[in-house]
Amino acid sequence: MIRNVVVGRLHPDADPVAVDAALAAITALDLPGRLDCRVGRDAGLREGAWGFAITSDWADAEAYRAYDLDAEHNRIRAELFGPLCAEIARVQFAA
């Protein structure tokens, strides 16, 4: 299994409604090999945290790669998250 973890640092003026819509769009993707997907905005428990996180579990590296190249996924990244984020970090690891 491959776990993909994404965190985003939001622009100070990012609209929380738009962030929620972008996260909902990620969870709505129905792609082969996705085992689980969790998203959420930072709970504000610690200063300096990033604005949101996405974790998704994939059956294998091929399923993750298909997700990474998926046209709708890339549209969501560019059109929904792009304007909201100052920075995005991601990591994939075998879990």
Side-chain angles (χ1 to χ4, degrees):
M1 181 183 85
I2 298 295
R3 177 160 290 156
N4 178 50
V5 179
V6 177
V7 293
R9 189 175 308 281
L10 298 168
H11 292 296
D13 62 345
D15 179 3
V17 172
V19 175
D20 288 343
L23 293 171
I26 286 293
T27 60
L29 289 172
D30 184 19
L31 296 171
R34 184 164 78 177
L35 306 174
D36 192 27
C37 182
R38 307 289 173 117
V39 302
R41 286 192 288 131
D42 179 59
L45 302 176
R46 186 169 182 196
E47 197 168 318
W50 289 47
F52 67 87
I54 301 166
T55 64
S56 55
D57 293 340
W58 298 91
D60 52 32
E62 292 75 26
Y64 169 77
R65 286 187 185 107
Y67 162 72
D68 193 45
L69 296 173
D70 180 75
E72 179 62 5
H73 172 228
N74 283 299
R75 183 196 71 77
I76 292 166
R77 283 161 65 169
E79 294 179 14
L80 301 184
F81 285 103
L84 299 170
C85 294
E87 192 174 0
I88 293 179
R90 60 185 59 86
V91 63
Q92 300 81 43
F93 60 92

Coordinates of all heavy atoms in Angstrom, one line a residue:
M1 N 0.8 -1.2 0.0 CA 0.0 0.0 0.0 C 0.9 1.2 0.0 O 1.9 1.3 0.6 CB -0.9 0.0 1.2 CG -1.8 1.2 1.3 SD -2.8 1.2 2.8 CE -1.7 2.0 3.9
I2 N 0.4 2.3 -0.7 CA 1.1 3.6 -0.7 C 0.2 4.6 0.0 O -0.9 4.7 -0.4 CB 1.4 4.0 -2.2 CG1 2.3 3.0 -2.9 CG2 2.0 5.4 -2.2 CD1 3.7 2.9 -2.3
R3 N 0.8 5.3 0.9 CA 0.1 6.4 1.6 C 0.7 7.7 1.0 O 1.9 7.9 1.0 CB 0.3 6.3 3.1 CG -0.4 7.5 3.8 CD -0.7 7.2 5.2 NE -1.7 6.2 5.3 CZ -1.9 5.5 6.3 NH1 -1.1 5.5 7.4 NH2 -2.9 4.6 6.3
N4 N -0.2 8.6 0.6 CA 0.1 9.9 0.0 C -0.4 10.9 1.1 O -1.5 10.9 1.5 CB -0.6 10.1 -1.3 CG -0.4 11.5 -1.9 OD1 0.8 11.9 -2.0 ND2 -1.4 12.1 -2.3
V5 N 0.6 11.8 1.5 CA 0.2 12.8 2.5 C 0.5 14.2 1.8 O 1.7 14.4 1.3 CB 1.1 12.6 3.8 CG1 0.7 13.7 4.8 CG2 0.8 11.3 4.4
V6 N -0.4 15.0 1.9 CA -0.3 16.4 1.3 C -0.7 17.4 2.3 O -1.7 17.2 3.0 CB -1.2 16.6 0.1 CG1 -1.1 18.0 -0.5 CG2 -0.9 15.5 -1.0
V7 N 0.1 18.4 2.5 CA -0.2 19.6 3.4 C -0.1 20.8 2.6 O 0.8 20.9 1.7 CB 0.6 19.6 4.7 CG1 0.3 18.4 5.6 CG2 2.1 19.7 4.4
G8 N -1.0 21.8 2.8 CA -1.0 23.0 2.1 C -0.9 24.2 3.1 O -1.6 24.3 4.1
R9 N 0.0 25.2 2.7 CA 0.0 26.4 3.4 C -0.8 27.4 2.6 O -0.5 27.7 1.5 CB 1.5 26.9 3.5 CG 1.6 28.1 4.5 CD 3.1 28.5 4.7 NE 4.0 27.5 5.1 CZ 4.1 27.0 6.3 NH1 3.4 27.4 7.3 NH2 5.0 26.0 6.6
L10 N -1.8 27.9 3.3 CA -2.8 28.8 2.6 C -2.3 30.2 2.5 O -1.6 30.7 3.5 CB -4.1 28.7 3.3 CG -4.8 27.3 3.3 CD1 -6.0 27.3 4.3 CD2 -5.2 26.9 1.9
H11 N -2.7 31.0 1.5 CA -2.5 32.4 1.5 C -3.4 33.0 2.6 O -4.4 32.4 3.0 CB -3.0 33.0 0.2 CG -2.2 32.6 -1.0 ND1 -0.9 33.0 -1.1 CD2 -2.5 31.9 -2.1 CE1 -0.4 32.5 -2.3 NE2 -1.3 31.8 -2.9
P12 N -2.9 34.1 3.2 CA -3.7 34.6 4.4 C -5.1 35.0 4.1 O -6.0 34.9 4.9 CB -2.9 35.9 4.7 CG -1.5 35.7 4.2 CD -1.7 34.8 3.0
D13 N -5.4 35.3 2.8 CA -6.8 35.7 2.4 C -7.6 34.6 1.8 O -8.6 34.8 1.3 CB -6.7 36.9 1.5 CG -6.0 36.6 0.2 OD1 -5.3 35.5 0.1 OD2 -6.1 37.3 -0.8
A14 N -7.1 33.3 1.9 CA -7.8 32.2 1.4 C -9.2 32.0 2.0 O -9.3 32.0 3.2 CB -7.0 30.9 1.5
D15 N -10.2 31.9 1.1 CA -11.6 31.7 1.6 C -11.8 30.3 2.1 O -11.6 29.3 1.4 CB -12.5 32.0 0.4 CG -14.0 31.8 0.7 OD1 -14.3 31.6 1.9 OD2 -14.8 32.0 -0.2
P16 N -12.2 30.2 3.4 CA -12.4 28.9 4.0 C -13.5 28.0 3.2 O -13.3 26.8 3.1 CB -12.9 29.2 5.4 CG -12.4 30.5 5.7 CD -12.4 31.3 4.4
V17 N -14.4 28.7 2.7 CA -15.5 28.0 1.9 C -14.8 27.4 0.6 O -15.1 26.2 0.2 CB -16.6 28.9 1.5 CG1 -17.6 28.2 0.5 CG2 -17.4 29.4 2.8
A18 N -13.9 28.1 0.0 CA -13.2 27.6 -1.2 C -12.3 26.4 -0.8 O -12.1 25.5 -1.6 CB -12.4 28.7 -1.9
V19 N -11.6 26.5 0.4 CA -10.8 25.4 0.8 C -11.6 24.2 1.0 O -11.3 23.1 0.6 CB -10.0 25.8 2.1 CG1 -9.2 24.6 2.7 CG2 -9.1 27.0 1.9
D20 N -12.8 24.3 1.7 CA -13.6 23.2 1.9 C -14.1 22.6 0.6 O -14.2 21.4 0.5 CB -14.8 23.6 2.8 CG -14.5 23.8 4.2 OD1 -13.4 23.4 4.7 OD2 -15.3 24.5 4.9
A21 N -14.4 23.4 -0.4 CA -14.9 22.9 -1.7 C -13.8 22.2 -2.4 O -14.0 21.1 -3.0 CB -15.3 24.1 -2.6
A22 N -12.5 22.6 -2.3 CA -11.4 21.9 -2.9 C -11.2 20.6 -2.3 O -11.0 19.6 -2.9 CB -10.1 22.8 -2.8
L23 N -11.3 20.6 -0.9 CA -11.1 19.3 -0.2 C -12.2 18.3 -0.6 O -12.0 17.1 -0.8 CB -11.0 19.5 1.3 CG -9.8 20.3 1.8 CD1 -9.9 20.7 3.3 CD2 -8.5 19.5 1.5
A24 N -13.4 18.8 -0.7 CA -14.6 18.0 -1.0 C -14.4 17.4 -2.4 O -14.7 16.2 -2.7 CB -15.9 18.7 -0.9
A25 N -13.8 18.2 -3.3 CA -13.6 17.7 -4.7 C -12.6 16.6 -4.7 O -12.7 15.6 -5.5 CB -13.1 18.9 -5.6
I26 N -11.6 16.6 -3.9 CA -10.6 15.5 -3.8 C -11.3 14.3 -3.3 O -11.1 13.2 -3.8 CB -9.4 15.9 -2.9 CG1 -8.5 16.9 -3.6 CG2 -8.6 14.7 -2.4 CD1 -7.7 16.4 -4.8
T27 N -12.1 14.4 -2.2 CA -12.7 13.2 -1.7 C -13.7 12.6 -2.6 O -14.0 11.4 -2.6 CB -13.4 13.5 -0.3 OG1 -14.4 14.5 -0.5 CG2 -12.4 13.9 0.7
A28 N -14.3 13.4 -3.5 CA -15.3 13.0 -4.5 C -14.7 12.2 -5.6 O -15.4 11.4 -6.3 CB -16.1 14.1 -5.0
L29 N -13.4 12.3 -5.8 CA -12.8 11.5 -6.9 C -13.0 10.0 -6.7 O -12.8 9.5 -5.5 CB -11.3 11.8 -7.0 CG -10.9 13.2 -7.5 CD1 -9.4 13.3 -7.3 CD2 -11.3 13.3 -9.0
D30 N -13.4 9.3 -7.7 CA -13.6 7.9 -7.6 C -12.7 7.2 -8.6 O -12.9 7.0 -9.7 CB -15.1 7.5 -8.0 CG -15.4 6.1 -7.8 OD1 -14.7 5.4 -7.1 OD2 -16.4 5.6 -8.4
L31 N -11.5 6.8 -8.0 CA -10.5 6.3 -8.9 C -10.1 4.8 -8.4 O -10.1 4.5 -7.2 CB -9.2 7.1 -8.8 CG -9.4 8.5 -9.4 CD1 -8.2 9.4 -9.1 CD2 -9.7 8.5 -10.9
P32 N -9.8 4.0 -9.4 CA -9.4 2.6 -9.0 C -8.2 2.6 -8.1 O -7.3 3.3 -8.3 CB -9.1 2.0 -10.4 CG -9.7 2.9 -11.4 CD -9.8 4.2 -10.8
G33 N -8.3 1.7 -7.1 CA -7.1 1.5 -6.3 C -7.1 2.4 -5.0 O -6.2 2.2 -4.2
R34 N -8.0 3.3 -4.9 CA -8.0 4.2 -3.7 C -8.7 3.4 -2.6 O -9.8 3.0 -2.7 CB -8.7 5.5 -4.0 CG -8.6 6.4 -2.7 CD -8.8 7.8 -2.9 NE -10.3 8.1 -3.0 CZ -10.8 9.3 -3.2 NH1 -10.1 10.3 -3.3 NH2 -12.1 9.4 -3.3
L35 N -8.0 3.3 -1.5 CA -8.5 2.5 -0.4 C -9.1 3.4 0.7 O -10.1 3.0 1.4 CB -7.4 1.7 0.3 CG -6.6 0.8 -0.7 CD1 -5.4 0.1 0.0 CD2 -7.5 -0.3 -1.3
D36 N -8.6 4.6 0.8 CA -9.1 5.5 1.8 C -8.7 6.9 1.4 O -7.6 7.1 0.8 CB -8.6 5.2 3.2 CG -9.3 5.9 4.3 OD1 -10.5 6.3 4.2 OD2 -8.7 6.1 5.4
C37 N -9.4 7.9 1.9 CA -9.0 9.3 1.7 C -9.6 10.1 2.9 O -10.8 10.0 3.2 CB -9.6 9.9 0.4 SG -9.1 11.6 0.0
R38 N -8.7 10.9 3.5 CA -9.1 11.7 4.6 C -8.6 13.1 4.4 O -7.5 13.3 3.9 CB -8.5 11.3 5.9 CG -8.8 9.8 6.3 CD -10.2 9.6 6.7 NE -10.5 8.2 6.8 CZ -10.9 7.6 7.9 NH1 -11.1 8.4 9.0 NH2 -11.2 6.3 8.0
V39 N -9.4 14.1 4.6 CA -9.1 15.5 4.4 C -9.5 16.4 5.6 O -10.4 16.0 6.3 CB -9.7 16.1 3.1 CG1 -9.3 15.3 1.9 CG2 -11.2 16.2 3.2
G40 N -8.9 17.5 5.8 CA -9.3 18.4 6.8 C -8.5 19.7 6.9 O -7.3 19.7 6.5
R41 N -9.2 20.7 7.4 CA -8.4 22.0 7.6 C -7.8 21.9 9.0 O -8.3 21.2 9.9 CB -9.4 23.2 7.5 CG -9.8 23.5 6.1 CD -10.5 24.8 5.9 NE -11.8 24.7 6.4 CZ -12.4 25.6 7.3 NH1 -11.6 26.7 7.7 NH2 -13.6 25.5 7.7
D42 N -6.8 22.7 9.2 CA -6.1 22.7 10.5 C -7.0 23.1 11.6 O -7.8 24.0 11.4 CB -4.9 23.6 10.4 CG -4.1 23.7 11.7 OD1 -3.6 22.7 12.2 OD2 -4.1 24.8 12.3
A43 N -6.9 22.4 12.7 CA -7.8 22.7 13.9 C -7.4 23.9 14.7 O -8.0 24.3 15.6 CB -7.9 21.4 14.8
G44 N -6.2 24.4 14.4 CA -5.8 25.6 15.1 C -5.2 25.4 16.5 O -5.2 26.3 17.3
L45 N -4.8 24.2 16.7 CA -4.3 23.8 18.0 C -2.8 24.3 18.3 O -2.4 24.3 19.5 CB -4.4 22.3 18.2 CG -5.8 21.7 18.1 CD1 -5.8 20.2 18.2 CD2 -6.8 22.4 19.1
R46 N -2.1 24.6 17.2 CA -0.7 25.0 17.4 C -0.4 26.1 16.4 O -0.7 25.9 15.2 CB 0.2 23.8 17.2 CG 1.6 24.1 17.5 CD 2.4 22.8 17.6 NE 3.8 23.2 17.9 CZ 4.8 22.4 17.8 NH1 4.6 21.2 17.3 NH2 6.0 22.8 18.1
E47 N 0.2 27.1 16.8 CA 0.6 28.2 15.9 C 1.6 27.7 14.9 O 2.5 26.9 15.2 CB 1.2 29.4 16.7 CG 1.2 30.6 15.9 CD 1.6 31.8 16.8 OE1 1.0 31.9 17.9 OE2 2.4 32.7 16.4
G48 N 1.5 28.2 13.7 CA 2.5 27.9 12.6 C 2.2 26.7 11.8 O 2.9 26.3 10.9
A49 N 1.0 26.0 12.1 CA 0.7 24.8 11.4 C 0.2 25.2 10.0 O -0.2 26.3 9.7 CB -0.5 24.1 12.1
W50 N 0.2 24.2 9.1 CA -0.2 24.4 7.7 C -1.7 24.4 7.7 O -2.4 24.0 8.7 CB 0.4 23.3 6.8 CG 1.9 23.5 6.6 CD1 2.8 23.8 7.6 CD2 2.6 23.5 5.4 NE1 4.0 23.9 7.1 CE2 3.9 23.7 5.7 CE3 2.2 23.2 4.1 CZ2 4.9 23.7 4.7 CZ3 3.2 23.3 3.1 CH2 4.5 23.5 3.4
G51 N -2.3 24.8 6.6 CA -3.8 25.1 6.6 C -4.7 23.9 6.4 O -5.8 23.9 6.8
F52 N -4.2 22.9 5.7 CA -5.0 21.7 5.5 C -4.1 20.5 5.3 O -2.9 20.6 5.0 CB -6.0 21.8 4.3 CG -5.3 21.9 3.0 CD1 -4.9 20.8 2.3 CD2 -4.9 23.2 2.4 CE1 -4.3 20.9 1.0 CE2 -4.3 23.3 1.2 CZ -4.0 22.1 0.5
A53 N -4.7 19.3 5.4 CA -4.0 18.0 5.1 C -4.9 17.1 4.3 O -6.1 17.2 4.5 CB -3.5 17.4 6.3
I54 N -4.3 16.3 3.5 CA -5.0 15.3 2.7 C -4.1 14.0 2.9 O -2.9 14.0 2.7 CB -5.1 15.6 1.2 CG1 -5.8 16.9 1.0 CG2 -5.7 14.4 0.4 CD1 -5.7 17.4 -0.5
T55 N -4.8 12.9 3.3 CA -4.1 11.6 3.2 C -4.9 10.7 2.4 O -6.1 10.7 2.4 CB -3.9 11.0 4.6 OG1 -5.2 10.7 5.2 CG2 -3.1 11.9 5.5
S56 N -4.2 10.0 1.5 CA -5.0 9.0 0.7 C -4.1 7.7 0.6 O -2.9 7.8 0.5 CB -5.3 9.5 -0.7 OG -4.1 10.0 -1.4
D57 N -4.8 6.6 0.7 CA -4.1 5.3 0.6 C -4.5 4.6 -0.7 O -5.6 4.6 -1.1 CB -4.6 4.4 1.8 CG -4.2 4.9 3.1 OD1 -3.2 5.7 3.2 OD2 -4.8 4.5 4.1
W58 N -3.4 4.1 -1.3 CA -3.6 3.5 -2.6 C -3.1 2.0 -2.6 O -2.1 1.7 -1.9 CB -2.7 4.3 -3.6 CG -3.3 5.7 -3.7 CD1 -2.9 6.8 -3.0 CD2 -4.4 6.1 -4.5 NE1 -3.7 7.8 -3.2 CE2 -4.6 7.5 -4.2 CE3 -5.2 5.5 -5.4 CZ2 -5.7 8.2 -4.8 CZ3 -6.2 6.2 -6.0 CH2 -6.4 7.6 -5.7
A59 N -3.7 1.2 -3.3 CA -3.4 -0.2 -3.3 C -2.0 -0.5 -3.6 O -1.4 -1.4 -3.0 CB -4.3 -1.0 -4.3
D60 N -1.4 0.3 -4.5 CA 0.0 0.1 -4.9 C 0.5 1.3 -5.6 O -0.2 2.3 -5.8 CB 0.1 -1.2 -5.8 CG -0.8 -1.2 -7.0 OD1 -1.1 -0.1 -7.5 OD2 -1.2 -2.3 -7.4
A61 N 1.8 1.3 -6.0 CA 2.4 2.4 -6.7 C 1.7 2.8 -8.0 O 1.6 3.9 -8.4 CB 3.9 2.2 -6.9
E62 N 1.3 1.7 -8.7 CA 0.6 2.0 -10.0 C -0.7 2.7 -9.8 O -1.0 3.6 -10.6 CB 0.4 0.7 -10.8 CG 1.6 0.0 -11.2 CD 2.4 -0.7 -10.1 OE1 1.8 -1.1 -9.1 OE2 3.7 -0.8 -10.2
A63 N -1.5 2.4 -8.8 CA -2.7 3.1 -8.5 C -2.4 4.6 -8.1 O -3.1 5.5 -8.6 CB -3.5 2.4 -7.4
Y64 N -1.4 4.8 -7.3 CA -1.0 6.1 -7.0 C -0.6 6.9 -8.2 O -1.0 8.1 -8.4 CB 0.1 6.2 -5.9 CG 0.6 7.6 -5.8 CD1 -0.1 8.6 -5.1 CD2 1.7 8.0 -6.5 CE1 0.3 9.9 -5.1 CE2 2.2 9.3 -6.5 CZ 1.4 10.2 -5.8 OH 1.8 11.6 -5.8
R65 N 0.2 6.3 -9.0 CA 0.6 7.0 -10.3 C -0.5 7.4 -11.2 O -0.5 8.4 -11.8 CB 1.7 6.2 -11.0 CG 3.0 6.2 -10.3 CD 4.1 5.5 -11.2 NE 5.3 5.4 -10.4 CZ 5.8 4.2 -9.9 NH1 5.2 3.1 -10.1 NH2 6.9 4.2 -9.2
A66 N -1.5 6.5 -11.3 CA -2.7 6.8 -12.1 C -3.4 8.0 -11.5 O -3.9 8.9 -12.3 CB -3.6 5.6 -12.2
Y67 N -3.6 8.1 -10.2 CA -4.2 9.2 -9.5 C -3.4 10.5 -9.8 O -4.0 11.5 -10.1 CB -4.3 8.9 -8.0 CG -4.5 10.1 -7.1 CD1 -5.7 10.7 -7.0 CD2 -3.4 10.5 -6.3 CE1 -5.9 11.8 -6.2 CE2 -3.6 11.5 -5.4 CZ -4.8 12.2 -5.3 OH -5.0 13.2 -4.5
D68 N -2.1 10.4 -9.7 CA -1.2 11.6 -9.9 C -1.4 12.1 -11.3 O -1.2 13.3 -11.5 CB 0.2 11.2 -9.6 CG 1.1 12.4 -9.4 OD1 0.7 13.4 -8.8 OD2 2.2 12.4 -10.0
L69 N -1.6 11.3 -12.3 CA -1.8 11.7 -13.7 C -3.2 11.9 -14.1 O -3.4 12.4 -15.2 CB -1.2 10.6 -14.6 CG 0.4 10.4 -14.4 CD1 0.8 9.2 -15.2 CD2 1.1 11.6 -14.8
D70 N -4.2 11.6 -13.2 CA -5.6 11.8 -13.6 C -5.9 13.2 -14.0 O -5.6 14.1 -13.2 CB -6.4 11.3 -12.4 CG -7.9 11.4 -12.7 OD1 -8.4 10.6 -13.5 OD2 -8.6 12.4 -12.2
A71 N -6.6 13.4 -15.1 CA -7.0 14.7 -15.6 C -7.8 15.5 -14.6 O -7.6 16.7 -14.4 CB -7.6 14.6 -16.9
E72 N -8.8 14.9 -14.0 CA -9.7 15.6 -13.1 C -8.9 16.0 -11.8 O -9.1 17.1 -11.3 CB -10.9 14.8 -12.7 CG -11.9 15.5 -11.7 CD -12.5 16.8 -12.2 OE1 -12.2 17.3 -13.4 OE2 -13.1 17.5 -11.4
H73 N -8.1 15.1 -11.3 CA -7.2 15.4 -10.1 C -6.3 16.6 -10.4 O -6.2 17.5 -9.6 CB -6.4 14.1 -9.8 CG -5.4 14.4 -8.7 ND1 -4.1 14.0 -8.9 CD2 -5.5 15.0 -7.5 CE1 -3.4 14.3 -7.8 NE2 -4.2 14.9 -7.0
N74 N -5.7 16.6 -11.6 CA -4.8 17.7 -11.9 C -5.6 19.0 -12.1 O -5.1 20.1 -11.9 CB -4.0 17.4 -13.1 CG -2.9 16.4 -12.7 OD1 -2.0 16.8 -11.8 ND2 -2.8 15.2 -13.2
R75 N -6.8 18.9 -12.6 CA -7.7 20.2 -12.7 C -8.0 20.7 -11.3 O -7.9 21.9 -11.1 CB -9.0 19.9 -13.5 CG -9.9 21.1 -13.7 CD -11.3 20.8 -14.0 NE -12.0 20.2 -12.9 CZ -12.5 20.9 -11.9 NH1 -12.4 22.2 -11.8 NH2 -13.2 20.3 -10.9
I76 N -8.3 19.8 -10.4 CA -8.6 20.3 -9.0 C -7.4 20.9 -8.4 O -7.4 22.0 -7.8 CB -9.1 19.1 -8.2 CG1 -10.5 18.6 -8.7 CG2 -9.1 19.4 -6.7 CD1 -10.9 17.3 -8.1
R77 N -6.2 20.3 -8.6 CA -5.0 20.9 -8.1 C -4.7 22.3 -8.6 O -4.4 23.2 -7.9 CB -3.8 19.9 -8.5 CG -3.7 18.7 -7.6 CD -2.9 17.6 -8.2 NE -1.5 17.8 -8.4 CZ -0.6 16.9 -8.7 NH1 -1.0 15.6 -8.8 NH2 0.6 17.1 -8.8
A78 N -4.8 22.4 -10.0 CA -4.5 23.7 -10.6 C -5.6 24.7 -10.3 O -5.3 25.9 -10.0 CB -4.3 23.5 -12.1
E79 N -6.9 24.4 -10.5 CA -7.9 25.4 -10.5 C -8.5 25.7 -9.1 O -8.9 26.8 -8.8 CB -9.1 25.0 -11.4 CG -8.7 25.0 -12.9 CD -9.8 24.5 -13.8 OE1 -11.0 24.4 -13.3 OE2 -9.6 24.2 -14.9
L80 N -8.5 24.7 -8.2 CA -9.1 24.9 -6.9 C -8.0 25.2 -5.9 O -8.2 26.1 -5.1 CB -10.0 23.7 -6.5 CG -11.1 23.4 -7.5 CD1 -12.0 22.2 -6.9 CD2 -12.0 24.6 -7.8
F81 N -7.0 24.3 -5.8 CA -6.0 24.5 -4.8 C -5.0 25.6 -5.2 O -4.5 26.3 -4.3 CB -5.3 23.2 -4.5 CG -6.1 22.3 -3.6 CD1 -6.7 21.2 -4.2 CD2 -6.2 22.5 -2.3 CE1 -7.5 20.3 -3.4 CE2 -7.0 21.6 -1.5 CZ -7.6 20.5 -2.1
G82 N -4.6 25.7 -6.5 CA -3.6 26.6 -6.9 C -3.8 28.0 -6.4 O -2.9 28.6 -5.8
P83 N -5.0 28.6 -6.6 CA -5.2 30.0 -6.1 C -5.2 30.2 -4.6 O -5.0 31.3 -4.1 CB -6.5 30.4 -6.7 CG -6.8 29.4 -7.8 CD -6.1 28.1 -7.4
L84 N -5.4 29.1 -3.9 CA -5.5 29.2 -2.4 C -4.2 29.0 -1.7 O -4.1 29.5 -0.5 CB -6.5 28.1 -1.9 CG -7.9 28.1 -2.4 CD1 -8.6 26.9 -2.0 CD2 -8.6 29.4 -1.9
C85 N -3.2 28.3 -2.3 CA -2.1 27.9 -1.6 C -0.8 28.7 -1.9 O -0.5 29.0 -3.1 CB -1.8 26.4 -1.9 SG -3.1 25.3 -1.3
A86 N -0.1 29.0 -0.9 CA 1.2 29.6 -1.0 C 2.3 28.6 -1.2 O 3.3 28.8 -1.9 CB 1.5 30.5 0.2
E87 N 2.0 27.4 -0.6 CA 3.0 26.3 -0.7 C 2.3 25.0 -0.5 O 1.3 24.9 0.3 CB 4.0 26.5 0.4 CG 5.2 25.6 0.3 CD 6.3 26.1 1.4 OE1 6.0 27.0 2.2 OE2 7.3 25.4 1.4
I88 N 2.7 23.9 -1.1 CA 2.2 22.6 -0.9 C 3.4 21.6 -0.8 O 4.3 21.7 -1.5 CB 1.3 22.1 -2.1 CG1 0.0 23.0 -2.2 CG2 0.9 20.7 -2.0 CD1 -0.9 22.7 -3.3
A89 N 3.3 20.7 0.2 CA 4.3 19.7 0.4 C 3.6 18.3 0.3 O 2.4 18.2 0.7 CB 5.0 19.9 1.7
R90 N 4.3 17.4 -0.2 CA 3.7 16.0 -0.3 C 4.8 15.0 -0.2 O 6.0 15.2 -0.4 CB 3.0 15.8 -1.6 CG 3.8 16.0 -2.9 CD 3.0 15.9 -4.2 NE 2.0 16.9 -4.3 CZ 2.2 18.2 -4.8 NH1 3.4 18.6 -5.2 NH2 1.1 19.0 -4.9
V91 N 4.3 13.8 0.3 CA 5.2 12.7 0.5 C 4.4 11.4 0.2 O 3.2 11.4 0.6 CB 5.9 12.7 1.8 CG1 4.9 12.5 3.0 CG2 7.0 11.6 1.9
Q92 N 5.0 10.4 -0.4 CA 4.4 9.1 -0.5 C 5.3 8.1 0.1 O 6.5 8.2 0.0 CB 4.2 8.7 -2.0 CG 3.3 9.7 -2.8 CD 4.1 10.9 -3.2 OE1 5.2 10.8 -3.7 NE2 3.5 12.1 -3.1
F93 N 4.7 7.1 0.8 CA 5.6 6.1 1.4 C 4.8 4.8 1.5 O 3.5 4.8 1.5 CB 6.0 6.5 2.8 CG 5.0 6.8 3.8 CD1 4.5 5.8 4.7 CD2 4.4 8.1 3.9 CE1 3.5 6.1 5.6 CE2 3.4 8.4 4.9 CZ 3.0 7.4 5.7
A94 N 5.5 3.7 1.5 CA 4.9 2.4 1.7 C 4.4 2.2 3.1 O 5.1 2.5 4.0 CB 5.9 1.3 1.3
A95 N 3.2 1.8 3.2 CA 2.6 1.7 4.6 C 2.1 0.2 4.8 O 1.9 -0.5 3.9 CB 1.4 2.6 4.7

